[in-house]
Amino acid sequence: MTEPLEARDDSPANVSTASTTSTALPGLDGLADELLGVVQSVDGVTAVYPAQPLWQSIAGAALSVVTGGTPALITLTDDAGVLAVKARIAVGTSRPAPAVAREVAEAVRKHLLPRPTAVDVSVVKVGG
Amino acid sequence: MNTTSDTLECGHSLAELSTYLDTGQIADPVHLETCPECQAGLASLRRLSVLGSELLSSDVADAGSGNDDWMQSILDNLRLELRPGRSIPLHSGNAQDNLWETEGSISALIRSVADALPGTAAGKCRLHGDVTTPGAGITVDVEIAVVYGHPMEERAATLRRELAEALALHTELAIDAIDITVTDVLESPATTEPGTPPSLQTPPDPADSPTTEEQP
Amino acid sequence: MTGSPAAQHQLDLVPDALLAGRAADGDTAAFEALARRHGPLMRATARRLTGSLADADDVVQETLVQAWKQLDGLRDPAAVRGWLLRIVGSRSIDHLRKRRNHADLSGVEDAVDASSGPKHEDPESNALNGSRVEALKAALAKLPEEQRRCWVLKEFNDQSYEEIAQTLNISPASVRGRLARARITLARTMEEWR
């Protein structure tokens, strides 16, 4: 089917930090992996989408352009000492979507303590 | 036949007849009606057109069904990026955090609620109002198709109630109204001739049928 | 994405306009239902235009990619079929231009009609022995490229002169002329064959 990339299609091993990471903090790659696990384990999260919206198709010549790298599911950026974490998630309908989003943000923050953190969570799909 | 010239003995050309076939327009319609040469040329072009339709049917049959593997493999190759639409802010537990729902996630929710009702399918849906400002009044517009025989008024009332519940649960939007418009009445699968493409089914004139109901 | 098979089945029953509206809202299931519904015609058109089975499937895929991106700009959702076919037309022409730069068309191994069996080795005898449709295929194959394109876009996709002109990047008057030449040649061939 033409589902967007979902967590179950991308093993955590494929997850990497985005190339836009401004400062290469040690262990950031491993951290993105850890955080993906944290996000996925929140009750109500059904999928994690690439944090950077990406248009891709494997039609013809477009192939070589888009196969350059695997899209990052969790983006980490160092913003003047504050670690900015970005995630796009799909949620089920068993729990209220806003509550799930808040819980994801809290779980990420808790995992990163005591590091100063700003979490950005987008719910891109509810139900289905 | 002369292959270097397309001019008929009456002085008119097959090219004029070809254009007439597409546009219904010709310089001398009276002549066309009465000229045997022109009529013969027209008949020949029409036979070709019929044969062209037969070729098309044969080619479409050769192309296979849209439910076959070839189409599935094309669809598998597509990566259809979600359409996020506007970002709708959610309350967050921490001032450092930004939480959002995309407009697309809400329309998907609305569709799944409408599709879950028996005999009902969602069409377009729209959130009217400034969804990017917390607390701003929002009106939801949903178009639905209802399978023939299902009570429209009742379906609309049920759907409105279920949508209100789902939106209250899964969003923080201040919903002022939910407008539901029945845009299509569908033949029920049981009464549809097998193989009849939906495009050949005739829904009632939309000008007569839409019933818009508003939440009080 | 819409979930249950029942919902999928329902989508097969709804009119184009409703599917196009949903797809424009981001519903991939509705988009796929449209693709399945019009896929065979898109594929048939692309095959006639490109003359290549592989190119035709590339064209269908590229068309769907472009359609998904541009669907929310479609003014009349009920006209989605014609809109898809116009994209197929443009994409097919693009493929022909690319191919011309790379390889000789006669060297195409996956040529359309090539698979219809040994009778095709001799187009003349094929025309005499085969069906009228086979004869038309053979006659069509002998037309100058530009004429064949005009004919296919007109007869397969019912495009207007203006639409064909846009697709081929020529004037509507040229379309009218080429279409007439194509029809005259084909009609004469078929009359002789009758």
Side-chain angles (χ1 to χ4, degrees), chain C residues 73-121:
Chain C
L74 178 63
R75 267 174 296 141
D76 178 10
V80 67
R81 178 176 172 275
W83 180 73
L84 286 171
L85 290 171
R86 283 198 295 283
I87 301 177
V88 167
S90 309
R91 290 284 169 173
S92 297
I93 301 307
D94 287 349
H95 262 263
L96 284 167
R97 290 197 181 115
K98 261 186 265 168
R99 185 180 281 278
R100 179 159 308 148
N101 294 336
H102 292 299
D104 183 6
L105 257 179
S106 61
V108 181
E109 283 178 9
D110 65 340
V112 170
D113 299 338
S115 57
S116 6
K119 63 178 179 179
H120 229 81
E121 282 169 7

Side-chain angles (χ1 to χ4, degrees), chain C residues 28-29 71 91 121 173 187 193:
Chain C
T28 54
L71 194 55
R91 290 284 169 173
E121 282 169 7
W193 187 84

Side-chain angles (χ1 to χ4, degrees), chain B residues 1-2 5-6 18-19 22 44 47 51 59 63-64 66 71-72 77 81 83 115 120 122 125-126 189 198, chain C residues 2 10 12-13 18 22-25 35-36 40 43 48 61 65 68 154 161 176 183-184 188 190-191:
Chain B
M1 256 196 225
N2 186 347
S5 158
D6 69 5
S18 164
T19 305
D22 296 323
S44 170
R47 278 195 295 275
L51 193 55
D59 278 2
M71 176 53 83
Q72 190 58 52
N77 282 343
E81 183 64 34
R83 293 184 203 283
D115 288 351
T120 308
C125 53
R126 289 283 172 275
Chain C
T2 329
Q10 248 174 15
D12 289 340
L13 298 172
L18 188 137
R22 284 176 75 122
D25 281 354
R36 293 181 196 285
R43 195 187 203 193
R48 269 301 144 213
Q61 182 163 315
V65 170
W68 177 255
K154 183 75 212 167
Y161 292 170
R176 188 172 63 236
R183 282 173 172 162
I184 291 161
R188 281 187 176 141
M190 298 315 297
E191 294 298 322

Side-chain angles (χ1 to χ4, degrees), chain B residues 69-129:
Chain B
D69 287 350
W70 69 275
M71 176 53 83
Q72 190 58 52
S73 95
I74 286 176
L75 292 175
D76 287 345
N77 282 343
L78 303 177
R79 289 281 183 192
L80 303 181
E81 183 64 34
L82 293 178
R83 293 184 203 283
R86 293 175 285 181
S87 287
I88 305 170
L90 296 172
H91 292 295
S92 72
N94 189 301
Q96 292 286 323
D97 297 344
N98 287 303
L99 309 183
W100 318 89
E101 282 177 324
T102 64
E103 196 172 12
S105 75
I106 307 302
S107 63
L109 172 68
I110 292 170
R111 281 194 301 271
S112 69
V113 171
D115 288 351
L117 274 186
T120 308
K124 242 195 319 236
C125 53
R126 289 283 172 275
L127 303 177
H128 296 288

Side-chain angles (χ1 to χ4, degrees), chain C:
Chain C
M1 295 195 45
T2 329
S4 68
Q8 284 291 338
H9 182 65
Q10 248 174 15
L11 284 186
D12 289 340
L13 298 172
V14 305
D16 275 7
L18 188 137
L19 288 181
R22 284 176 75 122
D25 281 354
D27 183 8
T28 54
F31 184 75
E32 291 188 355
L34 276 178
R36 293 181 196 285
R37 185 175 294 174
H38 300 301
L41 179 54
M42 293 164 69
R43 195 187 203 193
T45 300
R47 283 178 173 181
R48 269 301 144 213
L49 285 172
T50 64
S52 151
L53 299 176
D55 278 6
D57 281 12
D58 284 351
V59 164
V60 172
Q61 182 163 315
E62 288 169 21
T63 297
L64 292 174
V65 170
Q66 185 178 342
W68 177 255
K69 284 197 258 190
Q70 298 177 349
L71 194 55
D72 46 357
L74 178 63
R75 267 174 296 141
D76 178 10
V80 67
R81 178 176 172 275
W83 180 73
L84 286 171
L85 290 171
R86 283 198 295 283
I87 301 177
V88 167
S90 309
R91 290 284 169 173
S92 297
I93 301 307
D94 287 349
H95 262 263
L96 284 167
R97 290 197 181 115
K98 261 186 265 168
R99 185 180 281 278
R100 179 159 308 148
N101 294 336
H102 292 299
D104 183 6
L105 257 179
S106 61
V108 181
E109 283 178 9
D110 65 340
V112 170
D113 299 338
S115 57
S116 6
K119 63 178 179 179
H120 229 81
E121 282 169 7
D122 181 356
E124 290 301 326
S125 75
N126 176 51
L128 290 170
N129 302 327
S131 71
R132 290 174 53 79
V133 168
E134 291 300 321
L136 178 58
K137 285 182 190 173
L140 204 49
K142 285 186 200 155
L143 282 185
E145 186 71 46
E146 288 287 347
Q147 290 185 23
R148 179 165 60 245
R149 292 176 190 177
C150 287
W151 189 87
V152 171
L153 291 172
K154 183 75 212 167
E155 304 297 331
F156 273 36
N157 295 354
D158 197 26
Q159 292 191 15
S160 69
Y161 292 170
E162 286 72 22
E163 288 166 344
I164 298 172
Q166 233 175 352
T167 300
L168 298 180
N169 200 20
I170 56 180
S171 71
S174 302
V175 172
R176 188 172 63 236
R178 284 170 198 186
L179 187 57
R181 301 263 16 124
R183 282 173 172 162
I184 291 161
T185 307
L186 293 174
R188 281 187 176 141
T189 309
M190 298 315 297
E191 294 298 322
E192 282 163 14
W193 187 84
R194 246 154 73 89

